[in-house]
Amino acid sequence: MSRWVDAGAIADMKFDPGHPVKLDAGWLAVFPVQDGYRVIDNVCPHASAPLCDGAVLDGKVVCHLHLWEFDLETGRCDVGDEWSVRVYENRVVDGRLEVCIAE
């Protein structure tokens, strides 16, 4: 079962390049992309760095500590699938971002 959770107003989010949000699922990172937004776990599974602070290149966020790459579409890590992060379905409703959280 899953539910939609309000993550805040898009206008209040400061993308640098991502924006961190704290929800039931923990800390998530929101990234603007050409067709909307991508939401992934905000913690790098290697050294716990916040992924929202990484650089975005070619649809991937690069962790600033050790340069591991995470695909914003799939969460897949370039070092190996066991290091992948979760990707969350999201939508914008009345200018607010909602994230689908599994229960």
Side-chain angles (χ1 to χ4, degrees):
M1 183 137 226
S2 59
R3 63 188 170 92
W4 290 96
V5 177
D6 182 80
I10 297 292
D12 294 338
M13 294 183 181
K14 299 188 179 13
F15 299 107
D16 190 26
H19 177 80
V21 294
K22 176 87 165 101
L23 299 179
D24 298 356
W27 283 100
L28 307 181
V30 180
F31 295 92
V33 294
Q34 188 173 18
D35 62 346
Y37 299 90
R38 298 290 179 268
V39 180
I40 64 172
D41 288 329
N42 192 33
V43 178
C44 176
H46 176 234
S48 300
L51 292 176
C52 67
D53 294 338
V56 175
L57 301 167
D58 299 322
K60 298 175 183 173
V61 62
V62 181
C63 180
H64 63 82
L65 284 184
H66 299 105
L67 305 180
W68 287 18
E69 297 178 8
F70 299 88
D71 189 290
L72 291 174
E73 226 17 79
T74 65
R76 190 163 187 220
C77 179
D78 67 329
V79 177
D81 289 341
E82 68 273 17
W83 299 102
S84 297
V85 295
R86 186 167 176 196
V87 175
Y88 297 83
E89 185 179 357
N90 68 87
R91 65 187 182 193
V92 177
V93 178
D94 296 327
R96 300 187 68 82
L97 184 71
E98 293 184 348
V99 178
C100 188
I101 304 294
E103 295 183 332

